[in-house]
Every structure is written in C-alpha cells, then in structure tokens.
Amino acid sequence: MSLAHPLAASAGASRRAVLLAHAAAAHRSRAVDAARIATPHIRYEAILPEIVMLGGAVLLLAVGALVERQLRARVATFGTLAVSAGALGVSLWQWADVTSHGGFTAVDRAVVVDGFSALVNILVSCAMFLTALVADGYLRRERVEGAELHVLAMVSASGAMIMGSANDLIVIFLGLEILSIALYVLAAFNHRRAASGEAALKYFILGSFSSAVFVYGIALVYGATGTSNLAQIAGFLSTRVLTSDGLLLAGMTLLMVGFAFKVAAVPFHMWTPDVYQGAPSPVTGFMAAVAKAGAFAAFLRVFVSSFETLRADWQPIVYGIAVVTLLLGAGLAVVQRDVKRMLAYSSINHAGFVLLGLQAATAGGVSASLYYLFAYTFMVIGSFAVVTVLGRRGDAAHDIASYRGLARRQPLLALMFAVLLLAQAGAPFTTGLWAKLQVVLASVDHSVPLAVIAMISAAIAAFFYLRVAVLMYTPLPAAGAAPGVETPAEEPVPLGRGVAARALAPTEVAVPAAGAPRARPLWTGDERNAVALDRLNAGLLLDDDPMTLALVGAGDGAAPEDAVGEGALGDGAQAVSPPAGGAGRERVLVGESGPAASLAFDTLAGGREETLDVVNVLATGPARVPPLSAVAIGLCVAVTVVLGFWPGPLTAFAHHATLLFQR
Amino acid sequence: MTAAGATHAFPFLTVLVLLPAGGALAVALLGSVRGLSRAAIEWLGIAVSLGTLAIAIAIAALFATTTGGFQFVSDHSWATGLGVHWNLGVDGISLFLVLLAAVLFPIVLAGARTRSDAVSFVAWMLLLESACLGSFVSIDLILFFFFFELTLIPSYFIISGWGYTRRAYAAVKFFVYTFVGSAFLLVGILVVAFVHEHQTGVLTFSLPALEHTHFSSAGGILLFLAFTAAFAVKAPLFPFHTWSPDAYAEAPTGGSMVLSAVLAKLGTYGIFQFDLRLFPQASVDLAPLLLTLAVIGILYGAIVACAQRDLKRIVAYSSLAQMGFVALGIFAFTTQGLTGGVLLMLNHGLITAALFLLIGWIYERRQTSQVSELRGLQAPAPLLAGAFTVAMLASIGLPGLNGFVSEFLVLSGTFLTHRWWAVVATAGVVLAAVYLLWAYQQVFHGKVDLANSSTRDLSWAERVVIAPLIVVIVFLGIYPKPVLDRITPTVNSLVAQVDAATHTHQPAVARRGVAGTGAALAKKAST
C-alpha cells in the first residue's frame, strides 16, 4: 500500500501535494489488486463467535418457520439460548487461546483476535443470553409468536461482535450497520404501539444520518492516511509528521460523531429517551447493553490505538463530551416520570463514565472502561428485565407512580430492582461502585476536575435511583394526598391534634370531639373502610374527596390491599397493635404509610393522576414474573453483588484484556 | 506507623463488622416467614447487636494500652489489581467509637422500636451498625469509603420510611448533602493514592502506607479541603450543618439517636484519622480557619438552640455546638485538646443518644415534643424527669458528669495554643446552660395541666434500656481514667507525627499530658 510512499515533510509541501500523492498511490495499488484478485486467507476460528451468532440466527429463522405455531416461541427461546451459550463458549475458548498464545490478526488483517475482542465477545454473548431469557416472557405476554425478535437480536449481537474484533474502519462500519439495522427493526417490533413505530423511525433517520457521517469520516481518514486499516493508520501516524492535518482531523472528528451517536453521548443523545421509551422493554435493555458495548469497543480501539499519536487533538473533545454527557444525563433523569425514560437518561450518564476511561487514553483507562461496560451490561439488562415484567400486558405501565408499594406486592422483585438501582447509583459492595472507582481513578491521572464532575453527577444520579427505590418501599395509599397534608409515619396521632383528625373534621363521619384528652381509635369502623374501598375500586377517589383524606389520614395500606386480596389483614392488625413498651391504651394509630415518598416526588406526581394509576395497579394485582425472566434478573443481581463483594476476578479480567490489546 | 500489639488468631474486627450485616440478612429473610411474630424479630435484632457488643467489649479488654498504633489488624488482599485491601485495625481513637456504636445499637433496637414494619427497620438498623463499625475500623481508604457510603443507604431509608411529617424533605436533603461531600472524598482518596503511586510505584490505599506521601503545599491544602468537605458535612460543622436539624428532628427516635450519636462521629473521626495523618501540614496551615468555623458553630448552634421551641431541634442545634467543640479540640493540636476531642465524641454520643431517646419517649406519651405543650412532667413522671436531668446536666458540662471532663480538656487544650478562640468558645458553655435549663424548666417544672397530668412514668423495660446510658454518663464523669489511658498513646503518637511533619511543637506544658493521668505515658513517648 501507500505506506512506503515518501511523504514530503518539508515546509513547502502543501496539503494538496500530499493528497495527490496519496490518490496516486491508492490508484496504483488498486490497479495491482485488479490484476490478480486474491481472496484473503480466512482463519475461521478468528471469527467463530460471529459465525456462531449469525449462523444461529439464520438457522433459527428457518427452523422457526418450519415448526408448529405453538412450539415456535419455545424453540426460538431455547434455540437462542443454545446459540448464545455456544457463542459464549467459543468466545471463552478464544480468550483461553489468546491468554496462552497472544493475539493475532486474520482475514487480511481486517479482523483482530486479542483480549479486548474476546472480552467484548463474551460480554455480548452474555447480554444475548440474558435478553433471550427476558424476551421469552415478554413475547408470551404480548402474544407474539415467531422467532423474529430473537433472530434480529442475534444478528444485531453479531454486529456488535464484529465491531469489537474489527481491525479496519470498513469492518467497523460493517459491524455498525449490521448492529443498527437489526436494532431499527427491533425498535419497531411492537407494531401495535404507535410509540414503538415513532421510536423506530426516529432511530432510523438519525441513525442513518450518523452512519453517513461515519462513512464520510472513514473516507477522509483514508484520504489522509491512505489506509483504513487501524494498525496501519497507527503506523502511518507514528512514523510521519503531517504538515497539514486538517483532513485527518476532520475525518477523526466525524468518526467521533458517529461513535458518540451510537453510545448516546451528549449532544448526540437526542434519540435515546424516545427510542428507549418506545422500544419494547426487553429490546431496550438489549440496546442499552449491546449497542453501547459494540460501539464503545470500536470507539476505544480506534481512538486509543489508531489515533494514539493525535491524543492531544481528540482528548479535549472527548473531555468536553464527557462533561456534558455526565451532567446532562444525570440532570435530565431527575425530572423524568417514566421509568424507561429515566433509565435512558441514566444510560447517558453511564456513557459519560465510560468516556472518562477513554479520555484518560491509558491502559488503566481502557481497562476501567471495559470493566464499566461489563458491570453496566448486567445492571442495565437486569433493570430492564424488571421493567419488562412490571410493564404488564401492553408494556405500558412504566409510570413511576406504579412502582409505589411494590415491596408489599412483590417483595423479592422489589429487592432485586432496588439492588440493581443502587448498584447503578454506585452503592458500595456492588460492581457499580468498583466501576465508577476505576474510571475515576483513570481520569484522576490528568484531570482532577473531571473526576469531581463525574462524582457530582453520580450524586445527582444516585438521587433518582434512590427515589425509585424508596418509592417501592412506600406503601400504597396516600397517593391522592393533597400536598401539605402529611402525617407522621409511625407515631400515634391523638384526636384533636394532627392532620388526620383535621382532614376528617369537615365530613359527617362521626368522630369523637376534638380536643379530647385521651385518644381513641380512629379507624376501627370497617364500614368506613368498606365505603372507601368501594370508591377506590370504582376509581372515584378524588383529591378533594373527604374519604381520600380520611384514607390518607388512616394511612396504612390495609384498605387498598384488601382490594387486591392480599393478606393485608395481618398488616392492619399490626398497625393497631399496642405500641412498644406498652405505652398506648386507646390511641389512634396511623399505620406505616402516610405519603412517605419524597415531597419532591409528590409535587412532581400531581395527585389525581397518580391516584388513578394506583387504582389501575391495584385492579390488576401483582405483575406475573415469568420463570425465565426471574432467572435473568437473578443472574444479573448475582453477578452485580457477588463480583461487588469479590472484585478480584473481573478487575483482573478487564486488566488482562487490556494488556492483550493487539496494537 | 505499623501495626503493633499482640496479634490475635481470632479475626475480631472482621466478625465485629460482619455480624450485624449477617443479622440484617437473617432478619430480612426471616421477615418473610409467616407466623413469626414481630417481637421475635425484634429480639433477634437485639440479640445480634448484643453479640456485637460482646465482641466490642472483648476488643476493649484485650486492647493494649502501651502502643499508639493499630491493633487487631487483619489485612487481606481484596481487589488485587487495584491495590485495595480488606484492612481492618483499631486504635485509641476508633476503639471508643466502636464501643459507642456497639452500646447504642442495642439500646436503639430495644428502646426506640417502631410501630410499623419492624422487620425492615431492624434489618436497616443492623446494616447501619455494620456500616458504622466498618467505617471506624477500616484502615484502607477505599474500604473506609465503602463503609462511609454504605451508612447513607440505611439512614436514608430509615428517615424516609419512619420519620415525622417532613421526613421526605429531610431525607433528601441529608442524602444530597452527604453524597456531594463524599464525591469530593472519593476523588481525594484516588488522588492521594495516585500521588503515592507516582512517588513509590506502589498503588495502595492503606492508611499507614499513605502517611508517608509528600504533597506540594497547594496540593495538600486542596486534598485536605476535599477530605474535610465530606467530613464537615457528616459531622456537621458550620456552615455545612443545614441538613442536620431537619434530619435529626424528622428522623424517628432511633434514627435521630444513631445519626447524631454515631454517624456524626464519622465526620470528626475522619478528620482525626485521615486529615491529620495524611495532611499534617495542611491541617496546621488551615487550623485557624477550622478553629474559627468551630467557634462560629459553637456560638451559632447555641444561639439558635435558644430560639427553638421543639425539644428535638434544641438537641439538634446543641449537637452542632458540641461538634464544634470536637473540632476545636482537634485543631488546637495539643495533647489535651485532641484527647478531649476524642473523649467528647464518646461523651456527646452517649448524652445525645440519651436525650433523643427520652424525647422520643416523651413524644410517645404526649404526641408532641413542642416545649410549649409540655408542662410539669416532673410530677407524673419523676423517673423520666430524673433521667432527663442527668443527661441534660451532662450536656451542659456539670462537673461530676462526663460532659465536663471532655469539655474541660478541649478548652484547656485550646487555651494553650489558641487563647482567644478558647475564650470565645467558653461562651458556648454558658449558652448551653441557658437553653437546656430553660427547656428543662418549661417541660418538667411548673404546675402540671390536664393534658400532661396522665403522662406515664418509665416502665421497667424503659428503665432497663436507659440505665446503662445514665450509669456510663455518671461513671465517666467520676472516673474517666480507663478511657483516657487507651486514648492517650494514640493521641501522643498523632501529635508527635503532626509535630514532626510540620516542624512545630506544642507547648511544653501540654506535653505533660492529660491532667496527670497520661503524664507517665507521655513522658515515655517523648523520650
């Protein structure tokens, strides 16, 4: 190729001359290639994980069409599980091979097999496996037959794998397109929902635009360096000084824009909330994990290895992108009411953290980014698995209000989700904090302010994760609480004092005279409960309804939970049991609720709307958790917590993968 | 500084830290078992915390008074590639905070029970105990940070789940303040480790190793500020205190006790253990600033406390003043001041826990903690009034009770090096008498009215719960020697370390040690 072409380094050599020389060289080499069309030798074991994934997809498509209708869903799921397990096995084998024999390039140096690519392959296979588990329950619930979702996801996953092991800009583009086109279709998968179609269209238009930008970037880089091979670009740049590098810098910037779009970094994030919200929930989880993993893998490889010598040029840009991504992602997540949108913004915030590792541009930084991607994949797929389950039939119950009281209805699910959210917030003893720790340690290397900004964005982010977590542990009623009417959570309230009594006062419900020295039970009358229940069931509960206020005053979830037929009697009894220390004889006990969620939340939520949401949730009862989804959630939580307590293996893995980076 | 003292085969500290966490897990799992009564769960919680207390007492008994270094060290590699170790150790400063936490949690679990959802409450409390103990005994900075952060989650859930009217606001405020503070702490820790790695080539977070890191004077000051930001919020020191009155007042009784008595100590403990050891020069350089903030905190807390009409808020602001005294003792850099600071952390923990517990009981009986609505409680509830009197007088600093010893040490220690700060701070002592005696008079004296006349006195169970606190308050007022004996060696070595690093010397009179008790040891240390 043109690498041998002597480059005029004298001050007089104009950019034009350089370009012309390159064009001539490229022309010459094309002519030579045309003379003898030599197909490159292909080492199939180098691209075996991709082959397994893609071949599996094609096979499954064929098989899916042949088997009976009733069996299709099952065949698709277990076929996908088998294929992803196979791909995982092959990737692990690659990892073992790389650790013992070192990395190598194959297929005319277009593909590289090293620790980095093996890690990405392992990561993507795991993500595919978990997504198949989650998608199964979703497809059954939504009564969608056929293997399409699984097949498209596998195609997309193979695209991400290709991006991870690409050693040529063209191959990266190939992977990017395979990844994206399948995702466009997946986003529109639920064709009955208008939001889904809108999301897909938005994603498609912006995505194709970014692809075009990316290709243009490749063209410019090729024009400047005469090659699209990553290693050759690095070699070219390390041995030559470009007197005029405008073309190269423009190309590099366009590549960065393309990548930033795919990883959803600000200001190229506009599509993310809409697409994450509109796409079917399992697909959103897959998209958040796999698209990010693939794009970041290529992003890291291109910039840290090929453009290493231009570090001074791109580092400030990545720095700026990282700052706005961190802050905007966290800041905008705070004001979201839809959990999927919130998680979309939180994924933007996470992308900012991964960018910290990239902008450090050191081995430690790359290793930290890989660790982050790994930890993030399990946290985000787990979170979206819970969201999928709680989305209920129609995949629409994603309002934050419908999470209230989840701990009462489904304690285990709430606990799992709480752990995943806290891990994303960076709670100690989870992979979440180890990941943040490592990227921040990498960025401390040359920019302490960036590290501080990152941690402050983590503080903002922690706020909204905790908000959802606390909401789940806040019992149900009190939803219609008029702002300002709040009662102590645990303390007995005597009549004549306290808001409960005040709320009741204007009604005709007979209450003992205010100011009585000794308190009496406020809420013993079952008939009052019954009236409130009837209204609640009928959806007639309004903010200003005295009964609502009474219910709020009465606090405990006994009444509404009777509505769903859960064993609320015990709780009710608990609420009126004598207080500790034998203090109370007759006393009004406000149960454990009251509007315990944050004031900020209550103002955000707006009373009435939330009341109706709550009624809806109550009417349908606990969400059904399909066994396979439960397995997926359990796996994600297990990985997050176990590797949080025992951080050695994964850090060593990421570290090792970086050491085996084939330059 | 290396680990000294006898090595013990039994991993005391690891068990100490993990036992409550295991208890929390057990409670959470057993909580879902139907038919298990809430009393059983509560007893399980109390039993676990008493077991923890037993281990803490064993540690205190086996603690060697001859060395100032870390004892009971257990050091295991944890995150290999990152140089993070599971490194636990206890010294004279942390020993009594460990004991304080271990004593208070059983009292909280027994005396400040909640009416609702006992399972979650007990589980969160035990997890919080684990996190507190872990923070006090971690000598790996990352491990410390992990536990330091871990305290946030249970306390947030406790405030927002079981608190009073404005609990949501208080919990969010508490969380945001503390988390932003610890963001600086984490970055600070990483920078320290990074600088150390540059100087020695070893990436480690171990406190004894990092003590030898050299920082440029500006770098040292910035890092000191980053660390202190987190600790000052947690303590709280003026002007980072605004979350604390809300959090203390809105948290349930048990939450207020733990927040003010144990969690607040994490802040001042962090200043002792990390600021002074890692950045001695910056600590000395910035001492006037922090002393001034401490004095402002003392006066501001006292004056605002005078204006409060709610018992919980009065104690909350008096806590701010007391933590100001601790900071005063620290940044005086004398043996007396530092010893008094450590002792005051312990004493304030005991006193404020007792006060919050008693106020909680008053609230249970009267549904209010407003001073204006309480009157003449002495007549119907003499024992309650008696217990309150002891705790209140100890808080004022009456000689013969524990508060006096520590406050005296702090003020005399400060007087040696920073005379005028000590003089102004003394006004805080007078003001404390004003607001506490006023509140006491309003609540317990006077003619009892109808609403207050039927207030029940302490039940036997309550007497058993409050007794240990009262006994310790009186005992430490009369005979603080066992405590001072264990604090002094560590403080001496800390002072020597700061003096050596900054080429300053504390006044010779201060070197004679704490009112004679530590004189012999001090002489041994200085020779």
Side-chain angles (χ1 to χ4, degrees):
Chain A
M1 297 277 280
S2 65
L3 278 178
H5 188 83
L7 205 134
S10 71
S14 72
R15 170 165 162 258
R16 197 178 175 80
V18 174
L19 272 179
L20 280 175
H22 277 294
H27 187 79
R28 212 164 40 240
S29 65
R30 259 201 304 280
V32 172
D33 286 346
R36 42 179 176 81
I37 300 171
T39 50
H41 169 68
I42 299 176
R43 276 178 74 175
Y44 286 99
E45 75 266 28
I47 50 171
L48 204 51
E50 287 90 342
I51 292 177
V52 169
M53 201 55 107
L54 204 56
V58 174
L59 197 67
L60 202 62
L61 195 61
V63 172
L66 295 176
V67 295
E68 283 177 66
R69 226 177 165 164
Q70 305 93 293
L71 284 176
R72 244 175 238 172
R74 179 146 300 178
V75 167
T77 303
F78 286 99
T80 314
L81 290 177
V83 170
S84 11
L88 179 63
V90 174
S91 309
L92 287 172
W93 169 76
Q94 264 191 351
W95 170 257
D97 185 50
V98 165
T99 42
S100 52
H101 300 111
F104 59 91
T105 55
V107 198
D108 199 16
R109 286 176 296 177
V111 167
V112 60
V113 179
D114 56 9
F116 187 91
S117 76
L119 187 143
V120 173
N121 286 343
I122 290 169
L123 180 57
V124 172
S125 311
C126 290
M128 187 61 240
F129 189 87
L130 293 169
T131 306
L133 288 174
V134 182
D136 181 65
Y138 170 82
L139 293 175
R140 280 162 199 268
R141 189 182 70 198
E142 308 294 328
R143 310 252 160 87
V144 184
E145 290 118 0
E148 289 82 3
L149 189 144
H150 290 112
V151 168
L152 285 165
M154 278 194 284
V155 171
S156 189
S158 71
M161 288 172 153
I162 292 172
M163 288 182 86
S165 45
N167 197 31
D168 192 294
L169 288 173
I170 304 289
V171 178
I172 291 177
F173 179 68
L174 194 71
L176 188 72
E177 286 301 283
I178 295 174
L179 170 81
S180 309
I181 292 174
L183 278 182
Y184 302 147
V185 185
L186 278 175
F189 190 77
N190 194 345
H191 55 84
R192 291 186 212 120
R193 277 183 67 203
S196 199
E198 185 197 326
L201 194 63
K202 223 171 229 172
Y203 192 28
F204 172 65
I205 291 173
L206 288 170
S208 347
F209 189 68
S210 84
S211 295
V213 168
F214 188 79
V215 176
Y216 194 28
I218 296 178
L220 293 187
V221 170
Y222 179 75
T225 62
T227 174
S228 61
N229 185 291
L230 297 184
Q232 286 174 3
I233 293 174
F236 179 87
L237 293 175
S238 61
T239 52
R240 285 166 180 77
V241 178
L242 294 189
T243 50
S244 168
D245 55 0
L247 190 65
L248 181 65
L249 291 185
M252 192 180 74
T253 313
L254 292 179
L255 289 182
M256 193 185 293
V257 170
F259 283 132
F261 179 88
K262 281 295 160 204
V263 303
V266 179
F268 310 103
H269 69 288
M270 305 295 182
W271 57 276
T272 316
D274 293 333
V275 174
Y276 277 33
Q277 187 184 16
S281 303
V283 172
T284 314
F286 177 79
M287 193 189 286
V290 171
K292 249 184 201 142
F296 261 120
F299 203 168
L300 285 166
R301 197 188 279 278
V302 169
F303 279 81
V304 176
S305 85
S306 295
F307 294 139
E308 197 194 7
T309 42
L310 298 176
R311 206 197 296 185
D313 292 310
W314 59 260
Q315 243 173 347
I317 310 177
V318 177
Y319 188 106
I321 292 180
V323 169
V324 287
T325 305
L326 284 165
L327 291 178
L328 223 63
L332 289 177
V334 172
V335 297
Q336 301 306 318
R337 288 221 45 201
D338 184 291
V339 172
K340 279 173 84 177
R341 272 186 100 81
M342 188 203 88
L343 286 175
Y345 280 106
S346 102
S347 86
I348 295 175
N349 178 253
H350 285 304
F353 274 100
V354 185
L355 283 174
L356 287 187
L358 169 65
Q359 75 87 45
T362 54
V366 174
S367 148
S369 291
L370 286 180
Y371 184 97
Y372 204 106
L373 284 173
F374 215 105
Y376 166 75
T377 296
F378 287 92
M379 293 187 290
V380 79
I381 292 189
S383 301
F384 275 106
V386 177
V387 170
T388 308
V389 167
L390 293 176
R392 293 161 189 273
R393 188 94 203 278
D395 196 21
H398 298 306
D399 193 282
I400 196 169
S402 62
Y403 285 75
R404 175 170 273 188
L406 183 67
R408 276 294 188 76
R409 301 192 291 278
Q410 290 166 291
L412 197 61
L413 191 66
L415 180 69
M416 296 284 179
F417 196 36
V419 170
L420 289 166
L421 287 173
L422 290 173
Q424 290 201 54
F429 303 104
T430 61
T431 50
L433 185 54
W434 288 112
K436 289 202 163 64
L437 202 74
Q438 292 185 57
V439 288
V440 173
L441 181 62
S443 75
V444 155
D445 195 337
H446 77 279
S447 173
V448 176
L450 185 59
V452 172
I453 290 171
M455 284 316 296
I456 286 177
S457 90
I460 302 170
F463 169 70
F464 60 75
Y465 293 123
L466 261 187
R467 196 176 73 191
V468 177
V470 166
L471 202 61
M472 292 193 297
Y473 284 87
T474 306
L476 253 182
V485 179
E486 293 208 15
T487 53
E490 57 153 329
E491 302 303 330
V493 174
L495 291 175
R497 286 187 30 73
V499 278
R502 245 184 285 134
L504 268 176
T507 73
E508 65 283 322
V509 178
V511 290
R518 183 162 296 177
R520 303 235 173 79
L522 167 69
W523 209 235
T524 50
D526 284 342
E527 70 284 355
R528 262 174 272 154
N529 269 333
V531 175
L533 265 180
D534 285 345
R535 295 203 193 173
L536 188 69
N537 287 334
L540 290 175
L541 218 51
L542 303 180
D543 288 345
D544 49 351
D545 189 327
M547 195 54 81
T548 312
L549 296 179
L551 253 185
V552 171
D556 187 50
E561 287 197 14
D562 278 343
V564 288
E566 276 195 341
L569 277 175
D571 298 319
Q574 181 180 322
V576 287
S577 65
R585 285 175 289 269
E586 291 179 343
R587 181 160 290 151
V588 178
L589 284 178
V590 171
E592 53 189 292
S593 69
S598 72
L599 193 63
F601 169 71
D602 277 335
T603 9
L604 264 178
R608 174 165 183 191
E609 194 188 334
E610 198 189 332
T611 311
L612 296 180
D613 269 333
V614 169
V615 171
N616 286 339
V617 169
L618 285 176
T620 45
R624 211 181 74 76
V625 185
L628 288 185
S629 301
V631 171
I633 297 167
L635 280 174
C636 291
V637 171
V639 168
T640 305
V641 174
V642 171
L643 291 180
F645 273 102
W646 187 38
L650 191 51
T651 42
F653 181 37
H655 188 64
H656 218 73
T658 315
L659 288 183
L660 294 168
F661 203 62
Q662 181 83 25
R663 303 239 169 180
Chain B
M1 213 163 95
T2 50
T7 48
H8 301 275
F10 183 71
F12 279 102
L13 294 178
T14 306
V15 174
L16 180 80
V17 172
L18 294 183
L19 183 64
L25 201 63
V27 166
L29 291 178
L30 287 175
S32 53
V33 177
R34 294 263 164 196
L36 201 67
S37 72
R38 57 182 273 134
I41 291 289
E42 284 174 347
W43 276 112
L44 176 63
I46 294 169
V48 170
S49 58
L50 284 176
T52 315
L53 175 61
I55 296 172
I57 289 174
I59 291 172
L62 294 172
F63 189 84
T65 56
T66 48
T67 168
F70 288 105
Q71 305 183 26
F72 298 91
V73 173
S74 76
D75 188 357
H76 305 281
S77 183
W78 191 29
T80 337
L82 288 172
V84 180
H85 283 230
W86 178 269
N87 194 356
L88 304 178
V90 67
D91 66 1
I93 296 171
S94 51
L95 175 68
F96 290 99
L97 296 171
V98 167
L99 273 175
L100 175 68
V103 167
L104 286 182
F105 273 93
I107 290 176
V108 167
L109 287 171
R113 284 184 270 183
T114 59
R115 305 243 145 64
S116 56
D117 203 3
V119 175
S120 313
F121 185 78
V122 173
W124 282 129
M125 271 294 174
L126 288 176
L127 185 63
L128 187 56
E129 176 169 20
S130 217
C132 290
L133 292 172
S135 315
F136 288 136
V137 298
S138 296
I139 46 180
D140 184 284
L141 266 66
I142 293 291
L143 191 61
F144 169 78
F145 181 80
F146 269 51
F147 283 118
F148 190 78
E149 283 289 277
L150 190 61
T151 59
L152 260 185
I153 297 167
S155 26
Y156 180 81
F157 274 90
I158 285 171
I159 298 174
S160 66
W162 290 269
Y164 293 87
T165 316
R166 291 170 67 232
R167 59 184 174 276
Y169 169 74
V172 169
K173 198 169 171 185
F174 160 74
F175 181 82
V176 171
Y177 267 74
T178 326
F179 206 107
V180 171
S182 47
F184 288 99
L185 176 62
L186 179 63
V187 176
I189 289 174
L190 294 177
V191 173
V192 169
F194 184 76
V195 172
H196 182 264
E197 191 192 7
H198 261 240
Q199 288 171 2
T200 62
V202 183
L203 180 61
T204 178
F205 294 94
S206 155
L207 178 62
L210 292 174
E211 274 171 9
H212 306 295
T213 315
H214 300 286
F215 300 101
S216 66
S217 106
I221 284 178
L222 282 176
L223 284 169
F224 174 85
L225 290 176
F227 274 66
T228 310
F231 297 144
V233 168
K234 201 91 175 180
L237 297 181
F238 183 88
F240 304 102
H241 66 281
T242 57
W243 62 270
S244 71
D246 288 316
Y248 291 180
E250 300 302 329
T253 304
S256 308
M257 290 168 71
V258 174
L259 274 177
S260 62
V262 184
L263 283 181
K265 304 303 171 292
L266 269 178
T268 41
Y269 168 75
I271 294 177
F272 264 110
Q273 202 76 295
F274 300 107
D275 278 355
L276 263 48
R277 287 190 201 279
L278 292 174
F279 322 112
Q281 186 64 53
S283 304
V284 171
D285 290 346
L286 289 177
L289 172 72
L290 281 139
L291 285 168
T292 309
L293 288 182
V295 170
I296 294 176
I298 290 169
L299 293 183
Y300 175 85
I303 291 168
V304 178
C306 291
Q308 296 305 309
R309 293 290 171 266
D310 182 288
L311 283 175
K312 283 189 98 174
R313 292 189 88 88
I314 291 176
V315 178
Y317 278 104
S318 97
S319 282
L320 174 63
Q322 297 283 313
M323 296 317 280
F325 274 112
V326 177
L328 196 68
I330 295 173
F331 288 98
F333 293 113
T334 54
T335 307
Q336 280 95 336
L338 287 164
T339 311
V342 178
L343 191 60
L344 184 54
M345 287 203 273
L346 172 66
N347 288 339
H348 171 250
L350 295 167
I351 295 167
T352 197
L355 285 174
F356 272 125
L357 185 58
L358 290 166
I359 294 169
W361 286 344
I362 292 175
Y363 191 100
E364 239 172 45
R365 291 163 166 74
R366 295 280 306 111
Q367 326 316 333
T368 181
S369 53
Q370 291 291 318
V371 173
S372 57
E373 300 192 24
L374 300 166
R375 176 157 287 275
L377 291 185
Q378 203 175 28
L383 278 174
L384 180 66
F388 201 93
T389 312
V390 174
M392 185 245 341
L393 290 176
S395 184
I396 292 173
L398 191 79
L401 296 173
N402 63 352
F404 171 74
V405 183
S406 43
E407 228 160 60
F408 178 78
L409 282 173
V410 165
L411 285 173
S412 59
T414 312
F415 190 80
L416 293 172
T417 51
H418 297 82
R419 185 158 302 180
W420 289 108
W421 279 276
V423 169
V424 178
T426 312
V429 182
V430 181
L431 283 170
V434 173
Y435 59 78
L436 280 172
L437 285 176
W438 172 81
Y440 182 80
Q441 209 175 17
Q442 294 289 310
V443 172
F444 290 98
H445 289 177
K447 194 169 155 41
V448 66
D449 59 15
L450 186 65
N452 287 307
S453 62
S454 56
T455 309
R456 209 167 34 77
D457 203 0
L458 295 185
S459 68
W460 273 108
E462 286 166 334
R463 287 177 213 176
V464 171
V465 170
I466 195 75
L469 285 177
I470 300 297
V471 168
V472 176
I473 285 174
V474 175
F475 178 79
L476 289 182
I478 299 167
Y479 189 63
K481 187 172 179 300
V483 177
L484 292 174
D485 281 350
R486 285 166 173 78
I487 296 175
T488 314
T490 306
V491 165
N492 279 333
S493 76
L494 187 58
V495 171
Q497 199 182 334
V498 171
D499 283 354
T502 57
H503 309 295
T504 53
H505 294 289
Q506 64 167 329
V509 59
R511 222 173 301 150
R512 286 221 304 276
V514 181
T517 49
L521 284 164
K523 202 175 285 172
K524 201 157 65 180
S526 60
T527 49

